[in-house]
């Protein structure tokens, strides 16, 4: 086996092979390659749509390729929980930066939310996130069945978030993601997000996005409820937006004073504990 491997490795960089992307491994080496959680796990997408032309391993190679091209079933729940916390946390901090007039921070945090968002959406389908240069083709060729948007609309959302950290786009995207994952059995995790995280979806700036505000407190159109917020759905988001436009506030039944944000208590939601993100 070593002699055969060395033979192909010696030809790997030859002129006739220059136009072909070739990787040479023995079966035992391939078994250890791109294992979940390893340094090579970034390459698991390569095996998602891999076509096996010749198999002399009595099916072992085919099974390995199938395993490497999917998210391990026993890892799916914990992985989604971790990355969903990271996504909500990034959106929360982006909106908080908007409130403070911190344009750079708002955009960087918004950009930071993209990778965990992609992780949870693809993980829900047991698929690895494609290489970013393949994302558009992947979504159009192999659509995510549970994605709340058609691929073109989803990509447009990502580009708006990346280019301007558009506040409304972030908030409606967060709402749709929450609705999806509540339906898929992650309601207990999402119940952790309350208080200041919930305030995230209701923030409405007085000035145009990207314009620093005169004070760090939210404008009068913002209501922060420390508890008792209803589940976030598209209908709730639309109702809140209409109520804000008509009344300048949102009535949840149990409200904290308009324009007031509570300081964090010692019992912070686990999204910040898990991701190592503290007060800013």
């Amino acid at each position: 086996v070593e002699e055969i491997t060395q033979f192909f490795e010696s030809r790997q960089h030859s002129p006739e092979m220059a136009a072909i992307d070739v990787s040479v491994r023995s079966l035992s080496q391939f078994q250890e390659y791109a294992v979940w959680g390893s340094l090579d796990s970034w390459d698991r997408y390569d095996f998602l749509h891999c076509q096996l032309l010749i198999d002399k391993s009595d099916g072992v190679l085919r099974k390995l390729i199938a395993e490497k091209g999917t998210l391990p079933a026993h890892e799916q729940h914990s992985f989604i929980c971790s990355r969903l916390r990271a996504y909500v946390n990034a959106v929360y901090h982006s909106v908080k930066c908007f409130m403070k007039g911190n344009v750079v921070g708002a955009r960087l945090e918004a950009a930071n939310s993209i990778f965990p968002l992609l992780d949870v959406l693809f993980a829900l389908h047991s698929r690895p996130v494609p290489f970013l240069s393949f994302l558009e083709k992947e979504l159009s060729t192999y659509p995510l069945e549970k994605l709340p948007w058609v691929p073109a609309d989803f990509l447009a959302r990502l580009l708006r978030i990346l280019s301007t950290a558009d506040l409304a786009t972030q908030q409606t995207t967060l709402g749709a993601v929450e609705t999806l994952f509540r339906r898929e059995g992650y309601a207990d995790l999402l119940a952790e997000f309350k208080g200041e995280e919930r305030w995230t979806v209701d923030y409405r700036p007085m000035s145009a996005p990207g314009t620093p505000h005169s004070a760090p407190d939210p404008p009068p159109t913002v209501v922060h409820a420390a508890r008792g917020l209803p589940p976030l759905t598209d209908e709730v988001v639309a109702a809140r937006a209409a109520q804000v436009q008509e009344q300048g506030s949102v009535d949840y039944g149990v409200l904290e004073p308009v324009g007031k944000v509570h300081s964090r208590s010692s019992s912070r939601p686990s999204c910040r504990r898990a991701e190592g993100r503290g007060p800013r």
Side-chain angles (χ1 to χ4, degrees):
V1 174
E2 290 184 1
E3 292 180 358
I4 296 174
T5 302
Q6 291 175 358
F7 170 74
F8 281 104
E9 286 179 344
S10 66
R11 299 187 59 190
Q12 185 174 356
H13 303 292
S14 60
E16 60 269 23
M17 301 287 285
I20 306 175
D21 187 5
V22 177
S23 179
V24 181
R25 291 181 179 85
S26 65
L27 181 59
S28 61
Q29 290 174 329
F30 184 65
Q31 287 174 325
E32 300 299 321
Y33 183 72
V35 174
W36 179 259
S38 69
L39 294 177
D40 304 315
S41 60
W42 61 268
D43 199 25
R44 293 176 71 88
Y45 173 72
D46 258 336
F47 305 102
L48 177 59
H49 307 299
C50 181
Q51 296 183 13
L52 182 60
L53 301 181
I54 300 175
D55 184 7
K56 298 182 179 180
S57 65
D58 196 24
V60 174
L61 189 58
R62 185 178 301 278
K63 181 180 178 181
L64 286 172
I65 291 173
E67 290 175 352
K68 294 179 189 296
T70 59
L71 180 67
H74 66 281
E75 298 283 358
Q76 184 182 38
H77 184 79
S78 61
F79 179 74
I80 288 179
C81 285
S82 174
R83 300 306 284 161
L84 192 55
R85 289 186 179 106
Y87 168 63
V88 174
N89 195 44
V91 175
Y92 163 75
H93 281 288
S94 178
V95 176
K96 189 173 182 179
C97 287
F98 260 111
M99 182 192 75
K100 294 182 176 181
N102 183 349
V103 179
V104 173
R107 292 189 178 186
L108 290 176
E109 292 287 3
N112 195 40
S113 73
I114 297 297
F115 285 106
L117 173 59
L118 292 174
D119 280 339
V120 296
L121 291 174
F122 277 90
L124 191 60
H125 298 78
S126 300
R127 287 159 56 179
V129 175
F131 305 135
L132 296 184
S133 58
F134 296 164
L135 178 61
E136 183 175 12
K137 182 178 180 180
E138 178 75 14
L139 288 174
S140 61
T141 308
Y142 308 98
L144 298 176
E145 295 178 359
K146 299 175 183 178
L147 188 68
W149 311 273
V150 297
D153 289 347
F154 177 60
L155 292 173
R157 281 178 173 270
L158 296 186
L159 292 179
R160 284 198 300 272
I161 292 172
L162 285 170
S163 60
T164 66
D166 183 73
L167 184 58
T169 302
Q170 290 198 75
Q171 291 172 321
T172 56
T173 302
L174 174 61
V177 169
E178 179 177 5
T179 299
L180 170 62
F181 281 90
R182 282 184 179 277
R183 187 170 60 242
E184 294 296 324
Y186 292 86
D188 289 345
L189 170 69
L190 291 164
E192 298 177 5
F193 307 127
K194 52 190 175 183
E196 291 189 2
E197 281 83 5
R198 282 298 186 185
W199 161 84
T200 298
V201 300
D202 296 312
Y203 174 66
R204 299 293 186 274
M206 294 180 66
S207 54
T211 303
H213 304 300
S214 58
D217 288 335
T221 55
V222 179
V223 174
H224 168 64
R227 62 186 184 280
L229 294 180
L232 182 63
T233 64
D234 290 341
E235 291 77 11
V236 171
V237 170
R240 289 178 184 173
Q243 194 172 5
V244 167
Q245 185 174 2
E246 293 177 3
Q247 303 176 12
S249 63
V250 180
D251 181 12
Y252 290 112
V254 181
L255 297 180
E256 296 296 331
V258 172
K260 180 179 179 182
V261 177
H262 284 251
S263 60
R264 293 196 177 105
S265 64
S266 58
S267 57
R268 291 178 297 194
S270 60
C271 68
R272 286 192 291 273
R273 292 199 300 270
E275 298 304 319
R277 303 286 289 278
R280 297 184 183 178

